């Protein structure tokens, strides 16, 4: 169930981004859904774009944290860790 929901979130966010490629809400949600799906490299890309599009300081701080978590997962995968 959750995997199907995450796939739907990814699809919906991608549809929104076709209309507005710098929509910070869609980018954050896309990054989160990709992260939860284990697609860390793609999540990192979306989160970096969200950080560039975000103008609110508090949200930018949250994005930096999420981005750091994705980068840790990518590094762990490169080392063969789950």
């Amino acid at each position: 169930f959750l995997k199907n929901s995450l796939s739907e979130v990814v699809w919906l966010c991608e549809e929104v981004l076709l209309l507005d490629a710098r929509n910070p809400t869609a980018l954050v949600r896309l990054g989160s859904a990709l992260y939860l799906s284990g697609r860390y490299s793609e999540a990192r890309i979306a989160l970096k774009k969200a950080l560039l599009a975000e103008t609110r300081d508090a949200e930018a701080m949250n994005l930096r944290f999420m981005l750091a978590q994705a980068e840790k997962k990518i590094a762990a995968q490169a080392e063969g860790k789950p």
Side-chain angles (χ1 to χ4, degrees):
F1 172 74
L2 181 61
K3 187 167 182 141
N4 288 340
S5 296
L6 291 172
S7 295
E8 186 173 349
V9 170
V10 168
W11 179 81
L12 289 170
C13 290
E14 288 172 343
E15 290 294 307
V16 169
L17 293 168
L18 288 174
L19 300 173
D20 178 8
R22 294 184 45 87
N23 183 306
T25 302
L27 288 165
V28 169
R29 290 182 180 161
L30 175 62
S32 296
L34 291 168
Y35 181 90
L36 292 171
S37 298
R39 297 163 59 183
Y40 306 116
S41 294
E42 293 171 84
R44 178 175 57 181
I45 292 167
L47 293 171
K48 282 185 177 184
K49 288 180 182 178
L51 191 55
L52 292 173
E54 185 55 64
T55 59
R56 296 169 294 183
D57 289 339
E59 190 61 31
M61 190 165 44
N62 289 335
L63 286 168
R64 284 186 191 93
F65 175 77
M66 292 169 64
L67 184 55
Q69 295 303 308
E71 288 175 348
K72 285 180 186 177
K73 291 286 189 176
I74 291 166
Q77 282 181 335
E79 293 175 5
K81 298 178 184 174

